[in-house]
Amino acid sequence: MSAVRAEWTKLRSVPRWVATFLGALVLTVGLSALAASGSTTDANEHPDFVTGPHGDAVTDGFGFAHQAVTGDTTMTVHVTGLARAATERAESGAPGTAVPTTPWTDIAAGITLKAGTEAGSSYVSVLLTGSHGVRLQGDFTHDVAGSAAHGDRWLRLTRTGGTVTGYESADGTSWTRIGALTPAAIPPRAEIGMAVSAAPVLHVSRGGGGSSVGGHPGRASATFEDVTLEPATDGTWQGTAVTMPTPADQPAKVGGSTAPTPRVLTASGDTSTVTGSGKVGPQRPDDDVVEGALLGVVAGLMALICVGVLFGTSEYRRGMIRTTFAATPRRGRVLAAKALVLGGAAFAVSLVAVVVAFVVAVPILQDHGMAPPAFPSPSLGDPAVVRALVLAALFMTGVTLVALAVGMLLRRTAPAITLTIVLLVLPLVAGTILPGTSPRWLMYTTLAGGLATLRAQPPTDTLAEPWALIGPGAGIGVVASYAAVGLALAWWQLRRRDA
Amino acid sequence: MQPSLEVRDVTKAYRGTVAVDRLSFQVRPGEVTGFVGPNGAGKSTTMRLLLGLDAPDGGDALVNGERYARLDRPLTHVGALLDADAVHPSRRARDHLLWLARSNRLPDARVGEVLDQVGLASVGRKRVGGFSLGMRQRLGIAAALLGDPPVVMFDEPTNGLDPDGIVWIRELVRTLASQGRVVLVSSHLMRELQDTADRLVVIGRGRLVADTTVDDLLGTVSRDQVEVVTPHRSEATTVLANAGARVTIAGGDGVVVEGLPGDRVAALLGTAGIAFTELRRYRASLEEAYMALTRDAVEFAAAEEDGR
């Protein structure tokens, strides 16, 4: 404790260090604001823009063999085959790496209960997916995982009042409940039926400082047997391709949409084959408003690295370390106190910096187009925002501690600052130049991975910035490991070496 | 328990170069012990070993019978001035002392007291970067006195001090010793210690050359020497040298005669009719005594190396 008070007195009594801390704050906020005012997007002017029942941007496209039902109802199907259409397989072969699918972008077949056939209307589906098992999904936001079955599955959807429950079964006799959802707006008279979707297949190629995303529409077919509806209706199944609206200023495209669309529903005896194209799910842009509001962190880090290194190397200027160790001979305690005091100060400054940067830069970004409905409007209370801000501050703290460790190890200011900045910046440069997803391992192994903490959105392969490839937990983990290993090495060397 | 500083058979080498070689000595309380030797003799190394800053390759360096690293609140046991420059130039003098005080759970009020004691009270709020070397020495001494320790160790404390400062240090050192403390003061200049030290630990090339009182040391070196003051130095030299004495020319009109007792010198000169104005037992300066000692040490070491 006494060592901590001593180190705190040391830290606050050198005016230049205090000024550099303030500089870190100003740089973080200033550069975040500057970067925000330099960014623009036309996402909200996107032509085929559809919002879901909650007002978020969504995509809604699938093949739907449906009929109208009123009130409580139960539908059961046996999905016996789900595969990508042969025509689609022929098209694949685009350059780059295929973007892995999520439960929202996989091919899927099952039962959908939907307010109507207009894109964006409220729905609940129980689905067998290509590689994400059985899911119960609704209103483009809710996703409940069922079993990991694939290929062949019995599915059932039951509407009781305002609640829709999903079941699955391997044999059609013993059923397992997956979960229940309460859709936002399905009127008593609604459409129910067999649904098949296939999200566009994306290929991303990166390198040379940017990334480009290419893709082609997906198409899948599924076979349904033993289709029953209770209570029985006298209606018949109707095939409809639910599609995103084609914008008025963009008349029929040459190619894709003028090509004859395959029939949605082909029935033969008890077997129905449904073909669908499109994705049903949230349409969040990969670009992250929170990350965009915190880009100044990189500039703030430069100042923090300088303080961190100097707090270590100043001890070795003029042999001050001897005074320090004469006062506190337990060298491990001195290093721990230094790390605690520096880390505490860096965390406090960083947290203030990122919160102010967020408050200042988000409105600027929204003025420049990163606004609802295409982009969610982040607020300081959102769990994802709180997580991003706290982790970003911890990331800055971690890098400051790495700088301290490097300073203590190298004992000289210029090489220590250079090395720490290289550890942070070089992987970023390399990561934007390297092709494919190879930057991923760079992000998992270098300080640059810590930038993943700035993102509130899930990781994505489609962005140019390499740190978007990994999640925030992995990012902070990498930085924490560097700080821990660096400080351990510094401690080991302090014990061994003469002062 | 009596305060003490003790070095027992300590050896330390840096990258193969021996800095301290099986050195042993003990410093007693209540007197000023001068720690002398030429630059590079191992004085600073010995002090660093005593403060636990460097680890000895062999032997023990003990403060109050303990290894320094085992001391709780070490500033209350030992105060040391190693290097007056070891202060961050951007820090105020007060803040430098404040972090030291806090590291050893000393009351903040001690800072003002020691600043008063060393005469820096008026510049306590100034940044150390603007201090003269003399002021930095005083600040370093203030840091050493912070914990009111029974043992103090000053490495070359008079470096860069003006005459006033030198007198001040001498008085401070004598006062500290008279309070019963262990006081070790190093210097590469013997004359700085002439009026201050009671005992001397002399080292050369990392080895102990002498561990003695100032009086004994002067006595040893000045033994059997007579100084003659005469206007006829060359004649006197001839006569005395013929009688078997070793004669060296001293300052003024003096010659120093070695190897003949004083009465014999007087008789020889009288017989030869050489007038002299003064004849007295010669008392060497501490400087000369030290030169003689360290010259021996250097020659001894050289001879030993040749013999290998």
Side-chain angles (χ1 to χ4, degrees):
Chain A
M1 201 54 222
S2 48
V4 172
R5 289 189 69 207
E7 290 301 329
W8 168 244
T9 311
K10 276 189 196 172
L11 184 64
R12 66 151 181 75
S13 61
V14 175
R16 227 172 311 154
W17 297 349
V18 177
T20 312
F21 269 122
L22 289 178
L25 202 155
V26 171
L27 278 172
T28 305
V29 175
L31 255 100
S32 292
L34 207 63
S37 53
S39 67
T40 51
T41 177
D42 58 356
N44 276 317
E45 293 140 35
H46 210 259
D48 50 0
F49 205 77
V50 169
T51 53
H54 300 294
D56 307 327
V58 301
T59 29
D60 199 1
F62 64 103
F64 196 20
H66 59 100
Q67 55 179 279
V69 289
T70 308
D72 291 356
T73 188
T74 294
M75 180 170 172
T76 307
V77 299
H78 180 197
V79 182
T80 55
L82 168 64
R84 292 196 179 274
T87 51
E88 195 222 306
R89 284 199 294 273
E91 279 178 63
S92 62
T97 323
V99 176
T101 61
T102 69
W104 292 109
T105 60
D106 204 355
I107 53 170
I111 308 165
T112 292
L113 173 71
K114 194 168 169 70
T117 54
E118 323 75 67
S121 60
S122 187
Y123 76 95
V124 176
S125 299
V126 60
L127 300 165
L128 176 69
T129 64
S131 52
H132 291 87
V134 179
R135 324 288 303 193
L136 178 70
Q137 296 182 338
D139 287 352
F140 312 96
T141 45
H142 306 291
D143 176 35
V144 183
S147 75
H150 58 93
D152 186 295
R153 204 70 177 167
W154 290 75
L155 301 172
R156 174 176 287 170
L157 202 63
T158 299
R159 179 192 205 186
T160 318
T163 307
V164 183
T165 312
Y167 301 88
E168 61 176 305
S169 168
D171 50 16
T173 48
S174 74
W175 288 88
T176 311
R177 183 176 179 276
I178 302 165
L181 295 175
T182 310
I186 301 185
R189 187 173 170 78
E191 299 293 327
I192 198 164
M194 297 160 270
V196 173
S197 63
V201 178
L202 298 182
H203 294 267
V204 60
S205 52
R206 51 191 313 135
S211 74
S212 68
V213 182
H216 57 267
R219 178 163 298 133
S221 293
T223 314
F224 294 80
E225 292 169 13
D226 305 297
V227 179
T228 59
L229 201 52
E230 279 175 61
T233 60
D234 50 6
T236 53
W237 300 112
Q238 266 202 313
T240 302
V242 175
T243 51
M244 301 290 275
T246 309
D249 59 344
Q250 263 190 317
K253 280 184 252 169
V254 185
S257 53
T258 51
T261 329
R263 288 171 60 92
V264 170
L265 174 63
T266 320
S268 76
D270 282 347
T271 307
S272 304
T273 302
V274 178
T275 302
S277 178
K279 169 195 165 188
V280 181
Q283 183 56 51
R284 276 192 228 100
D286 288 327
D287 288 311
D288 190 324
V289 181
V290 178
E291 178 195 339
L294 298 180
L295 284 177
V297 160
V298 181
L301 276 175
M302 299 300 139
L304 287 178
I305 286 172
C306 292
V307 188
V309 164
L310 280 170
F311 197 45
T313 55
S314 71
E315 294 279 358
Y316 291 98
R317 228 172 116 203
R318 309 164 174 230
M320 261 173 284
I321 194 77
R322 300 207 182 99
T323 317
T324 299
F325 286 154
T328 311
R330 309 279 282 272
R331 298 180 182 186
R333 202 172 281 185
V334 170
L335 185 65
K338 271 193 159 351
L340 202 67
V341 163
L342 182 73
F347 182 73
V349 168
S350 303
L351 194 61
V352 172
V354 292
V355 169
V356 174
F358 177 87
V359 170
V360 168
V362 165
I364 301 177
L365 285 170
Q366 293 184 332
D367 280 353
H368 286 78
M370 291 181 94
F375 291 86
S377 171
S379 85
L380 270 178
D382 297 345
V385 172
V386 171
R387 185 203 70 206
L389 293 180
V390 171
L391 286 186
L394 281 174
F395 161 52
M396 295 171 84
T397 308
V399 173
T400 313
L401 291 180
V402 171
L404 170 69
V406 173
M408 295 295 282
L409 282 165
L410 297 188
R411 302 189 172 190
R412 283 167 56 219
T413 307
I417 290 179
T418 309
L419 177 63
T420 315
I421 290 180
V422 163
L423 277 175
L424 180 68
V425 174
L426 193 64
L428 288 183
V429 178
T432 41
I433 292 170
L434 285 175
T437 53
S438 49
R440 195 190 306 270
W441 66 263
L442 262 181
M443 295 300 115
Y444 277 127
T445 50
T446 65
L447 284 182
L451 285 165
T453 56
L454 307 186
R455 289 178 57 83
Q457 303 278 359
T460 170
D461 284 10
T462 57
L463 287 177
E465 49 257 42
W467 61 85
L469 290 164
I470 68 169
I476 198 69
V478 172
V479 175
S481 313
Y482 265 84
V485 170
L487 289 172
L489 282 176
W491 174 74
W492 179 69
Q493 187 197 252
L494 278 185
R495 278 171 54 98
R496 261 180 73 249
R497 271 219 227 174
D498 291 331
Chain B
M1 200 193 76
Q2 278 224 322
S4 68
L5 273 179
E6 191 180 359
V7 172
R8 270 192 217 148
D9 211 21
V10 160
T11 298
K12 177 71 182 175
Y14 296 97
R15 296 207 182 91
T17 309
V18 177
V20 174
D21 192 1
R22 308 202 63 175
L23 182 63
S24 295
F25 66 87
Q26 198 169 358
V27 188
R28 279 174 266 183
E31 48 188 25
V32 176
T33 303
F35 191 27
V36 264
N39 282 327
K43 302 186 299 289
S44 298
T45 301
T46 306
M47 289 188 163
R48 283 203 303 273
L49 293 168
L50 279 163
L51 291 172
L53 297 171
D54 293 8
D57 298 330
D60 284 313
L62 303 174
V63 176
N64 298 341
E66 286 264 29
R67 299 243 303 274
Y68 191 87
R70 297 177 53 109
L71 297 174
D72 181 40
R73 304 171 70 207
L75 295 188
T76 62
H77 296 268
V78 197
L81 165 72
L82 285 191
D83 180 357
D85 278 336
V87 183
H88 198 291
S90 303
R91 231 170 243 142
R92 295 171 205 276
R94 277 193 64 82
D95 288 328
H96 176 66
L97 296 173
L98 198 58
W99 77 256
L100 277 168
R102 289 177 171 172
S103 71
N104 275 247
R105 302 195 298 280
L106 301 167
D108 289 358
R110 276 299 290 164
V111 170
E113 289 169 25
V114 292
L115 278 173
D116 265 341
Q117 198 177 345
V118 301
L120 290 178
S122 59
V123 292
R125 299 203 168 273
K126 293 246 160 64
R127 307 209 177 274
V128 180
F131 280 21
S132 67
L133 181 53
M135 287 161 88
R136 291 203 296 273
Q137 291 281 15
R138 283 170 187 256
L139 181 61
I141 287 167
L145 299 178
L146 204 54
D148 194 18
V151 179
V152 292
M153 217 185 324
F154 296 153
D155 195 7
E156 307 268 0
T158 51
N159 258 5
L161 286 187
D162 53 17
D164 280 354
I166 293 175
V167 170
W168 173 74
I169 291 253
R170 282 186 186 154
E171 280 171 10
L172 174 75
V173 159
R174 294 243 44 106
T175 311
L176 291 171
S178 69
Q179 291 164 344
R181 295 178 215 252
V182 169
V183 181
L184 184 67
V185 180
S186 83
S187 178
H188 64 284
L189 300 173
M190 188 68 111
R191 64 170 172 275
E192 284 188 353
L193 298 167
Q194 190 144 14
D195 308 322
T196 320
D198 303 302
R199 290 186 66 85
L200 289 173
V201 172
V202 184
I203 65 170
R205 295 197 159 201
R207 296 183 192 194
L208 187 69
V209 174
D211 179 358
T212 173
T213 65
V214 172
D215 289 340
D216 282 353
L217 178 64
L218 291 178
T220 324
V221 176
S222 316
R223 181 183 49 206
D224 294 338
Q225 290 191 0
V226 174
E227 185 174 17
V228 179
V229 180
T230 168
H232 315 288
R233 281 204 298 200
S234 51
E235 293 90 334
T237 305
T238 314
V239 168
L240 295 170
N242 285 341
R246 226 175 84 192
V247 183
T248 43
I249 305 292
D253 280 337
V255 288
V256 176
V257 186
E258 193 179 341
L260 286 175
D263 50 353
R264 186 92 175 89
V265 171
L268 280 169
L269 291 176
T271 312
I274 298 166
F276 57 92
T277 56
E278 220 178 305
L279 180 113
R280 57 167 189 244
R281 254 184 84 86
Y282 175 72
R283 185 176 164 84
S285 71
L286 205 48
E287 199 70 26
E288 287 168 287
Y290 164 65
M291 294 292 281
L293 271 176
T294 48
R295 184 173 55 235
D296 289 350
V298 170
E299 283 164 1
F300 171 64
E304 192 184 54
E305 267 163 31
D306 289 346
R308 269 179 204 162

